[in-house]
């Protein structure tokens, strides 16, 4: 049986990521990039699909674990009948090749340990050819090679598809195991194997502590905010500045169901919101890198904006299924790639324009051709904003006139006007103002349901959507407007045991065209806390926020969803959207931590 989703901690080298469980097993690792095929895929199958466990031979979960303060270095401690041992896991920020280091240290007594590595290339399917080269073992399949080095000999068991190292650690003794990926045509051990583990550990800790020290949030939930920011940084693909939505694929929103998506790519929405979150917290370098990534990703016909790109800016992300993987707790299909590249989501135009405007106001130098991008995006949007789309939640059913999508079209026009004012580029401002006014009138007329006293999910439909909670934050209407107040009150219908769903789910088939019921969404629960604070309910807002903090896992991570009935995290993890919402809500609820952020929007209507 798979470990619970919340049992996993995240490791990252800013180009890929690993998930390690409380039992010391790395059950998910894609090499050499976030979106590369997995070589350890037990998370979505069984041990036969690849894992690397370093733990006491007696087995069982660790007694306690924690990240070292303000780092992505994980310490897991086992207290056994014969002694106490600590395993320190980390991935050095990428300088050369991807590298995962596991340092075992005896703290008291003597503990019998086992390292068991079972590699399965190409999404947990291909058994590599393994052989000894000097003091290392190399496993090869096609273009990929993984090298395993250790402070002492390692061996392969009788089946020749698993590498095992049995050893004992007395108090005071350390042993390091290092796994490195390299192209299979390289004949010699890769350089990271020659770096002493203590040197790599110090450099990794120093990197994260220096980065974390830049955080300018000083409110009451600083530890939670810093952990979320570290997680967002860990999801950044450093060579290009792209930001993945999550490091995993096909972790289900409904156990045993089909809501299983590959999130190892760069959604413009998630990336733009991550940029906004990092910039607000004091991280300007990431903003500059993301702007460069954006300009490269949309090159060609920038008006033909995709909702999602690869970490290098790739446009083609073909969605396939992996029938050899049984899925997390039987949740099939397991998907790799994402057909969302073919979707039409109006809201991403607003997210991108908002991020560009925020960067400009923060003094981030804009590339010379960035204004061409603004004009191209707005030209497309002026022609197409009246059309139905798949909406914020990426439905796979019929397109609709989603209220949030129209609000974000208003945001795009509003931010374009403001950027024109800042840059002295006012040639199209009158057209954009006219569009902004028309969108606003239409939303207030078609998206408002007077019978419910609330903005609804889509024109002419009675269902509610948590995205309406964002209306005051975006500047579309002020928080004191009765329409906002009424919407926040009405959206309590989406609540379930103190947490909030994305939208109302009436029948067996939801608005997204899929079977099965979802649980509550972490981001929506945080949006509700934020909206409560904005509409004058600070005590309830704080209670709602701290309810979410309480369901983070033991190392501070959040998946996409939370099931209050079973007390479990669901969906891909850790999820950028969840951690973005945590940081933004912490700023909103901490008056001393608030700083000017984004354009000073003028509420209309």
């Amino acid at each position: 049986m798979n470990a619970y989703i919340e049992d996993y901690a995240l490791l990252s080298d800013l180009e890929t990521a690993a998930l390690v469980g409380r039992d010391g097993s790395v059950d998910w690792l894609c090499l050499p990039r976030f979106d590369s095929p997995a070589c350890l895929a037990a998370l979505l199958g069984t041990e036969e699909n690849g894992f690397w466990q370093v733990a006491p031979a007696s087995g069982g979960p660790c007694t306690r674990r924690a990240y070292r303060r303000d780092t992505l270095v994980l310490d897991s401690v086992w207290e056994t009948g014969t002694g106490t041992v600590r395993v320190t896991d980390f991935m050095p920020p990428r300088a050369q090749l991807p590298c995962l280091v596991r340092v075992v240290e005896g703290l008291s007594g003597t503990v019998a340990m086992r390292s068991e590595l079972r590699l399965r290339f190409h999404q947990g399917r291909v058994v590599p050819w393994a052989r000894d080269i000097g003091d290392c073992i190399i496993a090869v399949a096609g273009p990929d090679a993984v090298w395993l080095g250790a402070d002492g000999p390692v061996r392969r068991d009788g089946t020749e598809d698993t590498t095992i190292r049995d050893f004992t650690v007395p108090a005071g003794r350390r042993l390091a195991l290092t796994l490195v990926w390299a192209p299979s045509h390289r004949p010699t051990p890769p350089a990271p194997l020659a770096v002493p583990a203590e040197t790599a550990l110090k450099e990794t800790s120093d990197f994260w502590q220096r980065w974390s020290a830049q955080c300018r949030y000083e409110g009451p939930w600083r530890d939670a905010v810093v952990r979320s920011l570290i997680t967002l940084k860990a999801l950044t693909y450093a060579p290009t500045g792209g930001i993945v939505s999550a490091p995993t694929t096909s972790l289900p929103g409904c156990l045993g169901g089909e809501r299983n998506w590959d999130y190892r790519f760069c959604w413009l929405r998630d990336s733009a919101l991550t940029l906004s979150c990092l910039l607000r917290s004091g991280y300007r370098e990431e903003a500059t890198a993301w702007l460069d990534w954006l300009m490269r990703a949309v090159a060609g016909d920038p008006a033909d904006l995709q909702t999602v790109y690869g970490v290098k800016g790739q446009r083609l992300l073909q969605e396939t299924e992996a029938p050899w993987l049984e899925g997390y707790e039987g949740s099939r299909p397991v998907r790799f790639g994402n057909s969302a590249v073919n979707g039409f989501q109006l809201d991403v135009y607003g997210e991108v324009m908002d991020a560009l405007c925020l960067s400009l106001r923060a003094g981030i130098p804009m590339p010379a051709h960035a204004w061409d991008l603004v004009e191209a995006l707005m030209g497309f949007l002026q022609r197409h904003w009246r059309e139905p789309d798949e909406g914020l939640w990426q439905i796979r059913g019929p397109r609709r006139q989603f209220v949030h999508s129209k609000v974000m079209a208003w945001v795009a026009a509003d931010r374009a006007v403001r950027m024109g004012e800042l840059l002295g580029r006012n040639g199209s401002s009158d057209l954009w103002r006219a569009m902004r006014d028309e969108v606003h009138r239409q939303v207030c007329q078609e998206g408002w349901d007077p019978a419910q006293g609330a903005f609804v999910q889509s024109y002419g439909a009675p269902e509610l959507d948590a995205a309406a909670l964002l209306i005051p934050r975006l500047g579309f209407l002020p928080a004191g407007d009765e329409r906002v107040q009424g919407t926040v009150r009405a959206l309590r219908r989406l609540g379930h045991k103190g947490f909030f769903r994305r939208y109302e789910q009436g029948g067996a088939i939801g608005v997204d065209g899929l079977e099965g019921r979802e649980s509550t969404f972490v981001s929506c629960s945080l949006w509700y806390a934020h909206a409560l604070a904005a509409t004058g309910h600070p005590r309830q807002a704080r209670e709602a926020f701290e309810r979410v903090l309480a369901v983070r896992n033991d190392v501070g991570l959040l998946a996409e969803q939370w099931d209050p009935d079973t007390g479990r995290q669901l969906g891909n993890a850790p999820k950028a959207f969840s951690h973005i919402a945590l940081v933004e809500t912490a700023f909103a609820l901490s008056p001393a931590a608030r700083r000017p952020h984004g354009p000073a929007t003028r509420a209309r209507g």
Side-chain angles (χ1 to χ4, degrees):
M1 176 180 173
N2 305 93
Y4 286 173
I5 291 170
E6 58 267 27
D7 284 340
Y8 289 99
L10 173 72
L11 307 174
S12 172
D13 65 356
L14 308 183
E15 295 191 33
T16 192
L19 294 186
V20 54
R22 292 180 60 87
D23 61 352
S25 181
V26 177
D27 290 341
W28 183 252
L29 178 62
C30 300
L31 293 172
R33 300 195 314 258
F34 290 109
D35 56 359
S36 297
C39 64
L40 303 177
L43 178 67
L44 299 178
T46 70
E47 290 184 349
E48 286 303 315
N49 301 117
F51 71 98
W52 183 18
Q53 185 174 35
V54 177
S58 56
C62 62
T63 307
R64 62 185 182 275
R65 65 177 181 172
Y67 288 115
R68 296 189 181 181
R69 184 171 180 81
D70 294 348
T71 75
L72 208 61
V73 175
L74 180 70
D75 286 325
S76 302
V77 176
W78 281 262
E79 296 176 355
T80 75
T82 62
T84 303
V85 65
R86 177 173 62 212
V87 177
T88 300
D89 294 321
F90 62 97
M91 298 180 76
R94 189 81 62 91
Q96 302 178 43
L97 297 169
C99 177
L100 172 56
V101 183
R102 316 194 72 178
V103 179
V104 184
E105 181 179 7
L107 301 180
S108 69
T110 299
V111 182
M113 299 289 294
R114 167 168 283 202
S115 166
E116 185 173 359
L117 173 64
R118 185 172 299 171
L119 288 159
R120 295 292 184 269
F121 290 102
H122 193 64
Q123 323 292 28
R125 181 170 62 170
V126 176
V127 179
W129 173 46
R131 66 187 189 277
D132 301 306
I133 296 183
D135 294 331
C136 302
I137 288 173
I138 179 175
V140 175
D144 301 298
V146 167
W147 296 72
L148 178 64
D151 298 345
V154 292
R155 66 178 175 82
R156 283 167 284 130
D157 72 1
T159 64
E160 296 188 354
D161 66 357
T162 303
T163 298
I164 291 177
R165 168 79 193 270
D166 291 311
F167 55 98
T168 59
V169 284
R173 185 187 172 191
R174 284 189 175 189
L175 178 122
L177 301 119
T178 302
L179 181 149
V180 182
W181 176 92
S184 60
H185 61 268
R186 292 195 180 185
T188 58
L193 289 174
V195 178
E198 290 187 8
T199 299
L201 176 57
K202 183 179 186 307
E203 291 176 350
T204 302
S205 295
D206 289 348
F207 168 85
W208 284 109
Q209 288 171 350
R210 285 194 305 269
W211 190 85
S212 299
Q214 299 175 56
C215 175
R216 66 187 187 191
Y217 175 87
E218 297 295 343
W221 302 287
R222 181 175 169 80
D223 286 348
V225 168
V226 170
R227 179 52 51 197
S228 288
L229 291 170
I230 288 174
T231 302
L232 294 173
K233 175 67 171 176
L235 299 180
T236 302
Y237 184 68
T240 66
I243 302 166
V244 299
S245 180
T248 54
T249 178
S250 299
L251 291 181
C254 178
L255 290 176
E258 61 177 329
R259 299 173 186 272
N260 318 315
W261 315 116
D262 191 346
Y263 281 2
R264 300 171 302 143
F265 307 112
C266 303
W267 267 258
L268 286 186
R269 177 192 309 105
D270 293 29
S271 296
L273 290 171
T274 301
L275 163 70
S276 172
C277 183
L278 289 171
L279 193 55
R280 164 173 232 165
S281 303
Y283 295 94
R284 295 170 56 88
E285 182 179 336
E286 285 71 18
T288 302
W290 181 82
L291 285 172
D292 289 343
W293 174 85
L294 175 68
M295 300 306 296
R296 293 191 301 272
V298 303
D301 181 3
D304 182 22
L305 203 65
Q306 288 188 181
T307 59
V308 57
Y309 295 84
V311 294
K312 291 187 173 182
Q314 314 97 293
R315 285 179 171 263
L316 182 61
L317 306 174
Q318 182 178 1
E319 186 174 299
T320 60
E321 297 180 3
W324 59 90
L325 292 171
E326 64 182 32
Y328 182 88
E329 295 196 17
S331 303
R332 286 180 167 173
V334 172
R335 295 181 172 94
F336 293 96
N338 200 301
S339 64
V341 295
N342 302 315
F344 176 48
Q345 293 174 264
L346 279 169
D347 70 290
V348 298
Y349 293 84
E351 301 291 3
V352 169
M353 298 294 284
D354 195 34
L356 289 172
C357 190
L358 171 62
S359 300
L360 181 62
R361 289 179 61 88
I364 303 298
M366 293 187 70
H369 51 299
W371 188 251
D372 294 336
L373 172 62
V374 170
E375 291 187 318
L377 295 181
M378 286 305 301
F380 178 87
L381 200 55
Q382 284 177 280
R383 296 190 300 273
H384 297 283
W385 73 264
R386 298 175 183 82
E387 298 174 11
D389 74 330
E390 273 95 14
L392 167 67
W393 305 120
Q394 192 181 314
I395 65 165
R396 298 202 173 194
R399 292 180 177 180
R400 302 189 181 194
Q401 297 283 4
F402 285 104
V403 169
H404 178 72
S405 297
K406 306 307 183 188
V407 170
M408 293 309 299
W410 178 91
V411 169
D414 181 76
R415 302 324 188 243
V417 168
R418 296 179 186 281
M419 282 190 282
E421 292 170 349
L422 289 169
L423 295 171
R425 304 267 194 141
N426 297 312
S428 300
S429 292
D430 289 343
L431 291 174
W432 298 341
R433 286 191 183 94
M435 172 188 160
R436 181 178 65 179
D437 293 343
E438 184 181 353
V439 175
H440 200 279
R441 284 193 299 270
Q442 187 188 92
V443 170
C444 290
Q445 179 177 344
E446 303 292 336
W448 174 256
D449 183 350
Q452 299 187 79
F455 285 101
V456 291
Q457 182 179 62
S458 60
Y459 293 175
E463 291 84 11
L464 301 179
D465 192 311
L469 293 166
L470 301 176
I471 284 175
R473 289 171 56 182
L474 296 166
F476 186 84
L477 287 172
D481 190 291
E482 180 52 36
R483 289 167 292 184
V484 171
Q485 300 270 345
T487 299
V488 173
R489 288 192 297 269
L491 284 169
R492 287 182 295 200
R493 293 212 315 254
L494 300 182
H496 180 57
K497 296 185 177 180
F499 297 86
F500 284 77
R501 293 189 171 97
R502 294 189 294 177
Y503 45 74
E504 292 180 297
Q505 297 173 315
I509 303 294
V511 67
D512 55 10
L514 300 173
E515 294 183 356
R517 293 181 63 83
E518 296 178 322
S519 192
T520 66
F521 259 61
V522 172
S523 55
C524 297
S525 302
L526 290 163
W527 292 350
Y528 184 71
H530 196 297
L532 284 173
T535 54
H537 305 283
R539 180 181 61 80
Q540 295 94 322
R542 186 184 184 104
E543 290 172 355
F545 180 59
E546 292 185 342
R547 254 194 312 273
V548 175
L549 293 185
V551 304
R552 294 173 300 153
N553 75 355
D554 59 316
V555 291
L557 302 181
L558 289 163
E560 184 174 46
Q561 298 183 41
W562 170 255
D563 185 347
D565 295 321
T566 62
R568 292 188 58 181
Q569 294 191 18
L570 295 173
N572 284 299
K575 187 70 167 68
F577 219 48
S578 300
H579 287 280
I580 293 164
L582 188 155
V583 175
E584 294 286 359
T585 307
F587 269 97
L589 270 58
S590 306
R594 294 178 189 166
R595 301 197 180 242
H597 175 54
T601 54
R602 175 171 54 90
R604 303 176 60 84

